[in-house]
Amino acid sequence: MKSNRRSFLLAASAGLLAGTAEGAFGQIPANDEANPAPGVGNPAAGASEVRSVAIVWKDDVEGGEVELAHAALESLDGKTAKPSGDFRLESGSRRLLIHLGDAQTGLGAYAACVTVHFRLRNAPPETAPRGFSFFLRDVAPETPLLVRGLNVAAVPADDARSYDAIDAAIRAKRLRSERDAIDAEPEETYENACLHTRSMRCPTWLGVGRDMRIFRVMPSDVDGYWGQIEPFDFDRARGVDLAEPNVPVQFRFVLGRGAACSVNIRRNLEEGALPIVRSVQRDGDVEYRLTIFATLEKEPLTTENVRGTHWTAALAHTRGAMLTDREKELFENQLRLPEVENREQELICWVHVEAVNTGAVPQYAYLQAGSETRRRKFGKGNRLAPDGKVVCVNRLDGRPMPQEEMAVLLPPGGKLTFEMLYPHRPLPRERAAALAGQSFDAHLQACRAFWRRKLEQGAKITLPEPAVDERVRAGLLHLDIATLGMTRSGPLLPTVGRYSPIGSESAPIVQFYDALGYHELAERSIQFFLDRQRADGFIETFTRYQLETGPVLWTIGEHFRYTRDVPWARRILPNVLKACNYLLAWRRRNLREDLRGKGYGLLEGKVADPNDFFHSFMLNAVTYLGLKRVVEMYAEIDPPAIAEVRDELAQYLADIRRAYAENVVKSPVVPLRDGSWIPSFSPWAEYRGPVSLYAEGGNWFSHGMFASRDSLIGALYLGIGEVLDPNEQLAEWLLYAHQELMTLRNAGFSQPYYCRHDWLHLRRGEVKQYLKTYYNQFASLQDRETYSFWEHYSGISQHKTHEEGWFLMQTRWMLWDEDFDAGALRLLSMIPRAWMEAGKEIKLEKCKSYFGEFSLRVRSRAPDGRVEAEVQLHGPAERWPKTIVLRLPHPTGKRPREVRGGQFDARSECVAIIPAAASMRILLRYA
């Protein structure tokens, strides 16, 4: 979220600074002004009246307590209410009448809200009291508030029906919740998602990795022809030359006759994945076939001749970076000239165009030479900057282009080659002349080999659906382009698009590197955060995001799970302990009695762009997860060092769970599409329900949506943060209240990859729900031709690698994930059935898991009724999983008549395998 407006929210801790600069959670201005502290404000104007409601239970209730907000309690069951709101019911009584006065029931904020706590009769002593809340104005004769998870309903006082009668009446309507509707549909597909979602085109970033110099490449969508190229020092637009440093450059060239009533441009990546843009623009019978890639000025591209950019210089060119005074001085005094202004050779954007006449008669091809925003002098095929340096080298059939605009007549089948070579910064004429003599074929071949080699260094994933198969490889290379630093050594910046690294947003990037075996990239990326850790242990690399310390610890723990690198773990132990001590001290500042029910024992602080300094469930989930991972990591390496953290971890978990459970009870229930209601949740402990329902007022529209705090940076992180068990009632309520209120096609709004409902669906085994999210999110937010992600649906922040990182992790989870505590490696748990159709194959080669390296090959031979699978474990036996759970869903849901190699479970369509050897074969026979 990005916002330049200052919030007037009350900070819960005087020691934490508020920030107002832009951040990486978005760029749309947030409407954060004048939000009150929770519970502070004036009741909304509207009706104030006496109302009566009945609470009806299915089970025998002993008693409980009624609490009210913005209303007064008159009586309970016709008797004057006790000041405490306590009530007791006779045995067998399952109904309570509540009479309220001075109740705010009009439209708007501060509506009367009723909370009913209750105890079931004869419940075991350890059973916690139960409860729910509702807006009084929501109680209506036509729509009783029936909450199935609690077996309770709220109805008008004159509704005499029992709980079972109310439930039966609702079921008789045969309505479906969003969850039920998805389960009743066929599995989601990419093609279907494309039919029902927006299609967003995004500029393609071309670079060489490690180097902060990039080119942003795109046809002109407004004009309908190629093209435009923007040279950037990562986030900073480059000036035309040093004399005009503040004039951003946009290179432009023109192919074809001009803007027309019809546009016919197709784009794709070389081999479906490499950062080499292929495009065809058709203008009548003339096709303009483009090849665009980044290369080096003086020699073809190789791994050995890419130097990279010093990490401090690169950081200075990212958005939102919090450079220290020392880093600023280092950049200005030592790094600016060698890293920015006087590089040993320039990066080149090579545009190669073949104009081909596909018609039966001669046709003209129209060309305009490459220029920058302000059209400059043109001579001998070169576009010149004001100082005489060359901005672009233009060649026509290998010779200098004779003039800057041309019409060339092509015979039938005739071809013309037009090339533009754009240096990232203007070149002296002698260097431009040398560049003009370079071979296109040599540079293209080297560029292909360069990117292929990067893919070959890690695990290989081969999937039967090209829409996903290509995106995995393209995504990895997109991450690589945006990971900056020196090629051979030193920290690396796992940037999130144009923004500096962020502990939370960089986590999926680093973790995906580890999952595919790029452990050095992951380790060097982690080192960036450790090198910038404050002396007190706090990690904050991006514009006042105060949550980063926990996610960095989480990523450290994940890296150790993959690598078991004990020497590395010992080396970074001082950093880890400092971070843990900082977090524990932060927690202990909140062990105050006045915070009971409002975040006792929880950290308070800002987790993204909005200046919300509250006891956030996201902040505490990722903090708990980080602490939990490092306790696990050092349990065998150095138990005494981590003992203090270990000893406090259980109580911290209990405090988070208690705070969330209390919050759910006081949050108003919300309607499901099946006619029932479900408890809701808040993003932090201090508020009553989703802030987007305005129970306690405020202005919360931000980043293109009302529920940005509730959905994107809220309680969903309690699942992946391992605070909630995915299958417990609290998690189910959270997941499906969120689905009904805050998703469309089970995809989040505005910036959907911040939503962690994906993980809950995964761990609950909900394949159709997971696939609905998976396909609809990437089909709508990612360029469908070149696979670059936007950050927001509003077209804010291109090449957003945080979003791409989570898409890649979703794909990884679909293909393999682990139950670490149970020692189970789960394979193909979320794949579509269509991937198992006849003749299709899935291959995972040398992928990395918590249990070491493994490979998997699955072949479907449905015509002869067989599915064959082979699993190989490559690591030492002591790291093998206890169990491998391989899901092999039949395309039409058939059950096998014979299973070899493991135990088949018909409900989950999984084969359970106990590894006894490094190689295991599984056969399912259906015919």
Side-chain angles (χ1 to χ4, degrees):
M1 284 184 175
K2 281 90 185 157
S3 172
N4 286 322
R5 303 183 183 186
R6 181 175 295 278
S7 168
F8 294 95
L9 294 172
L10 300 180
S13 170
L16 297 175
L17 298 176
T20 58
E22 290 188 332
F25 186 48
Q27 278 186 321
I28 306 166
N31 187 17
D32 293 338
E33 293 156 348
N35 280 327
V40 178
N42 297 315
S48 178
E49 56 179 315
V50 175
R51 292 279 295 271
S52 298
V53 295
I55 309 301
V56 183
W57 285 274
K58 178 180 178 66
D59 305 308
D60 197 2
V61 171
E62 181 180 65
E65 179 185 5
V66 175
E67 294 180 355
L68 301 176
H70 312 301
L73 184 61
E74 297 286 338
S75 66
L76 294 172
D77 278 341
K79 302 176 183 178
T80 302
K82 298 179 181 179
S84 63
D86 289 349
F87 67 88
R88 290 188 63 83
L89 298 179
E90 297 295 329
S91 179
S93 176
R94 297 175 182 179
R95 186 179 184 88
L96 174 71
L97 289 178
I98 306 175
H99 304 282
L100 305 103
D102 195 24
Q104 300 295 325
T105 57
L107 299 178
Y110 306 104
C113 189
V114 181
T115 300
V116 180
H117 304 272
F118 60 91
R119 298 181 302 278
L120 297 177
R121 195 176 303 277
N122 300 321
E126 66 273 10
T127 302
R130 312 186 85 185
F132 75 112
S133 296
F134 57 91
F135 287 129
L136 183 60
R137 67 188 178 199
D138 290 347
V139 180
E142 305 82 9
T143 54
L145 276 59
L146 181 134
V147 185
R148 291 199 175 104
L150 292 170
N151 290 337
V152 66
V155 295
D158 59 0
D159 187 338
R161 293 178 296 173
S162 68
Y163 175 91
D164 288 338
I166 297 168
D167 189 19
I170 293 173
R171 293 183 187 276
K173 296 179 181 180
R174 303 180 69 85
L175 302 174
R176 283 180 175 172
S177 67
E178 185 71 11
R179 171 190 183 180
D180 293 338
I182 293 172
D183 281 341
E185 297 171 354
E187 284 183 354
E188 186 62 291
T189 65
Y190 174 65
E191 292 76 16
N192 188 61
C194 288
L195 286 176
H196 295 92
T197 58
R198 64 173 74 199
S199 178
M200 300 184 68
R201 288 162 62 89
C202 184
T204 304
W205 283 21
L206 299 177
V208 296
R210 309 300 164 267
D211 196 311
M212 72 177 178
R213 296 172 294 178
I214 60 165
F215 296 96
R216 302 177 181 180
V217 178
M218 188 72 175
S220 173
D221 280 337
V222 173
D223 298 316
Y225 51 74
W226 275 97
Q228 57 194 44
I229 298 170
E230 297 174 328
F232 270 69
D233 287 325
F234 213 66
D235 180 55
R236 296 190 186 180
R238 184 183 64 67
V240 173
D241 58 23
L242 296 181
E244 295 181 306
N246 297 319
V247 179
V249 170
Q250 184 183 81
F251 298 138
R252 296 182 65 85
F253 60 94
V254 179
L255 303 177
R257 289 174 288 179
C261 62
S262 176
V263 176
N264 190 339
I265 298 176
R266 304 190 312 273
R267 299 170 300 142
N268 63 277
L269 298 178
E270 179 91 359
E271 299 177 7
L274 307 184
I276 301 169
V277 175
R278 296 283 196 173
S279 180
V280 176
Q281 174 183 321
R282 190 171 183 88
D283 179 12
D285 288 333
V286 178
E287 284 190 353
Y288 300 88
R289 301 168 183 172
L290 294 88
T291 303
I292 312 173
F293 57 93
T295 185
L296 297 176
E297 169 200 346
K298 298 178 180 179
E299 56 196 338
L301 193 57
T302 67
T303 302
E304 292 71 28
N305 59 23
V306 173
R307 178 172 70 84
T309 302
H310 190 284
W311 72 267
T312 307
L315 184 63
H317 287 81
T318 59
R319 180 164 298 197
M322 298 176 65
L323 272 73
T324 65
D325 290 341
R326 179 179 173 278
E327 289 166 346
K328 293 175 184 176
E329 181 181 359
L330 174 64
F331 171 67
E332 292 295 340
N333 295 339
Q334 300 182 38
L335 298 176
R336 178 181 288 278
L337 284 176
E339 296 294 334
V340 182
E341 297 171 6
N342 294 325
R343 291 296 299 258
E344 63 281 3
Q345 62 175 319
E346 283 300 328
L347 203 64
I348 305 297
C349 185
W350 198 307
V351 182
H352 179 92
V353 182
E354 290 183 353
V356 181
N357 179 7
T358 65
V361 299
Q363 296 285 339
Y364 281 99
Y366 289 83
L367 314 167
Q368 184 189 83
S371 64
E372 86 294 328
T373 313
R374 300 182 180 184
R375 290 181 64 178
R376 305 292 184 179
K377 293 180 180 179
F378 185 88
K380 297 182 179 180
N382 295 330
R383 182 72 68 181
L384 304 177
D387 61 2
K389 290 184 177 180
V390 176
V391 172
C392 179
V393 174
N394 298 273
R395 302 193 304 194
L396 206 62
D397 281 339
R399 296 182 179 182
M401 188 173 181
Q403 60 198 58
E404 57 183 306
E405 294 185 5
M406 298 185 67
V408 180
L409 187 65
L410 299 177
K415 181 175 71 173
L416 173 73
T417 299
F418 173 39
E419 292 176 288
M420 293 158 283
L421 284 68
Y422 294 96
H424 198 268
R425 286 178 176 269
L427 290 175
R429 295 195 185 191
E430 62 276 11
R431 287 171 62 182
L435 174 61
Q438 297 276 344
S439 163
F440 165 74
D441 289 333
H443 277 266
L444 176 59
Q445 183 177 354
C447 188
R448 285 196 195 107
F450 176 82
W451 292 111
R452 287 171 180 163
R453 181 178 177 186
K454 284 183 178 283
L455 292 174
E456 291 165 358
Q457 291 171 350
K460 185 177 181 181
I461 297 173
T462 306
L463 303 175
E465 183 174 8
V468 178
D469 182 72
E470 293 178 355
R471 281 172 164 86
V472 173
R473 289 178 287 120
L476 176 64
L477 297 180
H478 289 166
L479 304 187
D480 189 85
I481 286 174
T483 300
L484 310 180
M486 301 301 286
T487 297
R488 291 169 181 78
S489 63
L492 293 176
L493 279 64
T495 66
V496 288
R498 67 198 303 183
Y499 307 105
S500 79
I502 311 174
S504 53
E505 293 205 10
S506 297
I509 299 169
V510 179
Q511 292 178 29
F512 189 71
Y513 280 153
D514 265 329
L516 264 63
Y518 295 87
H519 298 316
E520 183 187 3
L521 288 184
E523 181 180 329
R524 292 173 63 191
S525 296
I526 292 169
Q527 193 61 43
F528 164 79
F529 294 100
L530 298 181
D531 283 356
R532 304 194 76 252
Q533 185 180 30
R534 284 189 340 203
D536 62 2
F538 190 48
I539 298 174
E540 185 183 43
T541 66
F542 182 87
T543 336
R544 307 302 179 196
Y545 277 35
Q546 296 171 333
L547 82 166
E548 293 187 63
T549 311
V552 170
L553 293 180
W554 172 39
T555 301
I556 286 171
E558 293 293 298
H559 181 67
F560 185 76
R561 279 186 169 185
Y562 285 111
T563 65
R564 294 293 192 270
D565 188 343
V566 173
W568 171 78
R570 292 189 187 279
R571 188 167 65 250
I572 67 167
L573 178 59
N575 299 89
V576 170
L577 291 179
K578 283 196 301 182
C580 291
N581 290 336
Y582 183 92
L583 294 173
L584 292 182
W586 192 353
R587 163 176 150 75
R588 289 164 184 167
R589 291 200 301 270
N590 288 277
L591 293 171
R592 306 197 323 259
E593 288 303 313
D594 62 306
L595 290 177
R596 293 286 183 184
K598 296 179 290 185
Y600 177 86
L602 274 61
L603 280 59
E604 85 294 356
K606 169 183 159 86
V607 298
D609 297 339
N611 291 320
D612 302 328
F613 297 90
F614 302 128
H615 295 87
S616 155
F617 292 120
M618 177 185 182
L619 171 62
N620 285 277
V622 296
T623 299
Y624 169 77
L625 181 59
L627 293 172
K628 182 181 179 183
R629 281 293 182 275
V630 297
V631 166
E632 170 196 292
M633 177 175 167
Y634 289 102
E636 296 182 9
I637 298 173
D638 195 342
I642 209 74
E644 184 178 3
V645 185
R646 181 193 62 236
D647 293 344
E648 192 155 346
L649 201 57
Q651 189 56 54
Y652 184 30
L653 173 62
D655 288 340
I656 301 171
R657 288 184 57 85
R658 182 182 301 108
Y660 183 66
E662 292 171 350
N663 183 267
V664 169
V665 169
K666 73 178 184 181
S667 295
V669 294
V670 296
L672 297 177
R673 286 175 175 80
D674 66 0
S676 70
W677 294 62
I678 191 170
S680 64
F681 55 90
S682 303
W684 46 76
E686 290 91 332
Y687 206 85
R688 182 186 299 277
V691 297
S692 54
L693 296 185
Y694 301 95
E696 302 296 339
N699 294 318
W700 304 108
F701 187 88
S702 178
H703 296 71
M705 62 184 294
F706 285 99
S708 55
R709 278 93 163 178
D710 302 315
S711 175
L712 308 185
I713 51 175
L716 280 175
Y717 282 83
L718 294 170
I720 195 171
E722 300 179 9
V723 173
L724 297 180
D725 184 291
N727 294 300
E728 68 174 292
Q729 184 74 79
L730 284 173
E732 181 171 318
W733 286 341
L734 168 62
L735 180 59
Y736 291 109
H738 175 269
Q739 183 181 69
E740 294 273 352
L741 284 180
M742 303 169 197
T743 72
L744 183 63
R745 302 183 64 81
N746 213 26
F749 284 78
S750 186
Q751 192 177 358
Y753 282 95
Y754 251 94
C755 293
R756 294 279 69 81
H757 60 315
D758 50 8
W759 192 89
L760 286 170
H761 288 313
L762 168 76
R763 288 309 177 96
R764 290 169 59 85
E766 297 172 343
V767 177
K768 286 188 174 182
Q769 309 288 329
Y770 189 90
L771 293 176
K772 196 74 171 183
T773 298
Y774 180 78
Y775 281 115
N776 283 277
Q777 287 190 172
F778 84 72
S780 58
L781 197 62
Q782 188 184 44
D783 189 308
R784 294 177 185 175
E785 293 182 314
T786 60
Y787 307 149
S788 294
F789 272 90
W790 288 101
E791 181 175 28
H792 288 274
Y793 287 131
S794 54
I796 296 297
S797 186
Q798 56 191 251
H799 196 90
K800 189 65 182 345
T801 46
H802 162 258
E803 275 58 36
E804 192 142 28
W806 277 122
F807 159 74
L808 293 168
M809 286 301 293
Q810 285 180 352
T811 309
R812 184 260 203 230
W813 293 338
M814 176 190 293
L815 298 172
W816 78 97
D817 76 301
E818 303 91 341
D819 184 335
F820 185 73
D821 293 335
L825 175 61
R826 309 193 323 160
L827 302 176
L828 311 186
S829 63
M830 293 288 123
I831 65 166
R833 292 183 181 278
W835 288 10
M836 297 296 294
E837 291 171 347
K840 293 186 176 180
E841 184 175 57
I842 300 171
K843 290 173 66 177
L844 309 179
E845 300 176 62
K846 298 187 176 181
C847 294
K848 314 302 177 185
S849 78
Y850 299 161
F851 308 112
E853 186 178 277
F854 74 94
S855 295
L856 169 69
R857 184 179 185 185
V858 176
R859 289 173 291 181
S860 176
R861 303 181 183 276
D864 58 4
R866 288 186 300 159
V867 172
E868 300 170 346
E870 181 178 3
V871 182
Q872 292 183 324
L873 301 176
H874 303 298
E878 58 267 22
R879 287 197 61 190
W880 289 0
K882 297 177 183 176
T883 307
I884 297 172
V885 181
L886 172 60
R887 178 171 167 265
L888 296 171
H890 189 275
T892 63
K894 290 182 179 179
R895 297 294 181 257
R897 67 174 181 81
E898 180 185 2
V899 177
R900 297 179 186 175
Q903 186 70 36
F904 185 79
D905 177 69
R907 185 189 63 81
S908 64
E909 300 177 289
C910 292
V911 179
I913 309 156
I914 306 300
S919 182
M920 293 146 278
R921 294 183 181 274
I922 300 92
L923 172 67
L924 273 61
R925 192 183 300 276
Y926 294 89

